């Protein structure tokens, strides 16, 4: 009797441990799916395509960027949806809503005050000016932004299709901002 009772008890615990294992697997799958949904809703994977953001970003680099663009600041790197180009582009925010943006002799002025662009590599600027036989890295212009408008430029000003050609962008055009480069690994 004990033997049969032991067999029944052993079978019960074996069934119970299989059920527990199945529960753990289901919980693990649900946790992974929840993590994927969370990551996809908060982060945007981006592959840099083209040279318009050189020398900051290089063609082929892979980055993860934040979908939180509730606060856009000057000089943020952003991912935008361009209706004109029918594609997603990466640029740098130069002008914020209501500002007057002016470039004069390769210098940025916001509302008449000089603002230094420390992210621009001086030797890169000089090299591109020589290559393009251009006296300026950023041609002179002046624009006043309306409420809700942002002005974006590529860091490689002589080879960028940006707000100078596409016009201004609004918050609905923003897809992501900031982030980190994951590949190549030496840029992390």
């Amino acid at each position: 009797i004990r033997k049969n009772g032991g067999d029944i008890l052993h079978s019960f615990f074996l069934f119970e441990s299989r059920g527990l294992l199945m529960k753990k697997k289901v919980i693990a799958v649900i946790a992974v799916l929840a993590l994927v949904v969370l990551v996809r809703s908060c982060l945007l994977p981006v592959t840099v395509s083209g040279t318009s953001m050189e020398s900051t970003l290089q063609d082929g680099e892979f980055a993860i960027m934040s979908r939180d663009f509730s606060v856009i600041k000057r000089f943020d790197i952003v991912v935008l949806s361009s209706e004109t180009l029918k594609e997603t582009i990466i640029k740098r925010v130069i002008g914020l809503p209501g500002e007057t943006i002016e470039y004069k002799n390769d210098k940025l002025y916001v509302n008449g005050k000089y603002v230094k662009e420390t992210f621009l590599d001086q030797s890169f600027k000089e090299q591109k000016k020589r290559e393009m036989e251009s006296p300026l890295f950023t041609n002179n212009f002046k624009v006043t932004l309306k409420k809700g408008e942002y002005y974006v430029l590529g860091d490689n000003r002589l080879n960028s299709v940006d707000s100078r050609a596409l016009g201004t962008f609004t918050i609905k055009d923003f897809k992501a901002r900031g982030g980190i480069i994951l590949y190549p690994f030496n840029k992390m």
Side-chain angles (χ1 to χ4, degrees):
I1 297 175
R2 278 185 151 195
K3 187 174 184 191
N4 288 343
D7 287 342
I8 292 170
L9 197 55
H10 177 71
S11 296
F12 174 77
F13 284 117
L14 185 60
F15 176 76
E16 189 67 24
S17 65
R18 284 184 187 158
L20 188 60
L21 184 61
M22 183 56 102
K23 273 185 182 177
K24 286 182 178 180
K25 286 181 180 178
V26 168
I27 290 171
V29 168
I30 290 171
V32 167
L33 289 174
L35 183 62
V36 167
V37 168
L38 179 65
V39 167
R40 294 291 299 183
S41 65
C42 296
L43 302 173
L44 180 70
V46 176
T47 301
V48 177
S49 177
T51 60
S52 74
M53 283 300 291
E54 287 181 345
S55 69
T56 307
L57 300 174
Q58 308 299 317
D59 186 40
E61 289 181 341
F62 180 75
I64 296 292
M65 299 184 75
S66 170
R67 288 187 190 263
D68 175 18
F69 43 88
S70 55
V71 177
I72 302 293
K73 298 180 294 210
R74 183 177 338 282
F75 303 145
D76 278 351
I77 294 176
V78 295
V79 176
L80 303 150
S81 179
S82 169
E83 288 182 26
T84 304
L85 297 176
K86 306 278 188 263
E87 64 183 53
T88 301
I89 59 175
I90 301 174
K91 302 295 174 195
R92 188 179 298 273
V93 175
I94 301 297
L96 302 171
E99 294 180 334
T100 297
I101 302 300
E102 182 176 14
Y103 273 89
K104 224 177 351 182
N105 300 320
D106 273 342
K107 291 188 175 12
L108 168 63
Y109 295 87
V110 178
N111 297 328
K113 294 181 181 162
Y114 171 67
V115 177
K116 189 170 175 124
E117 297 177 283
T118 57
F119 55 88
L120 290 176
D121 181 286
Q122 192 61 36
S123 62
F124 177 81
K125 284 172 57 174
E126 295 305 319
Q127 174 192 342
K128 289 301 173 185
K129 285 169 36 176
R130 281 190 304 277
E131 285 176 12
M132 302 297 287
E133 299 177 357
S134 175
L136 297 173
F137 185 67
T138 307
N139 290 328
N140 295 336
F141 70 87
K142 185 175 185 176
V143 62
T144 299
L145 303 172
K146 296 177 185 164
K147 182 180 179 182
E149 291 182 330
Y150 294 85
Y151 205 84
V152 299
L153 296 177
D155 286 358
N156 186 357
R157 306 288 165 73
L158 292 170
N159 189 27
S160 178
V161 177
D162 46 41
S163 283
R164 295 171 292 177
L166 302 172
T168 60
F169 289 85
T170 63
I171 201 72
K172 72 173 182 55
D173 300 312
F174 286 74
K175 301 298 174 209
R177 66 174 268 288
I180 60 168
I181 295 173
L182 296 178
Y183 181 83
F185 301 117
N186 64 343
K187 293 281 284 231
M188 288 180 77

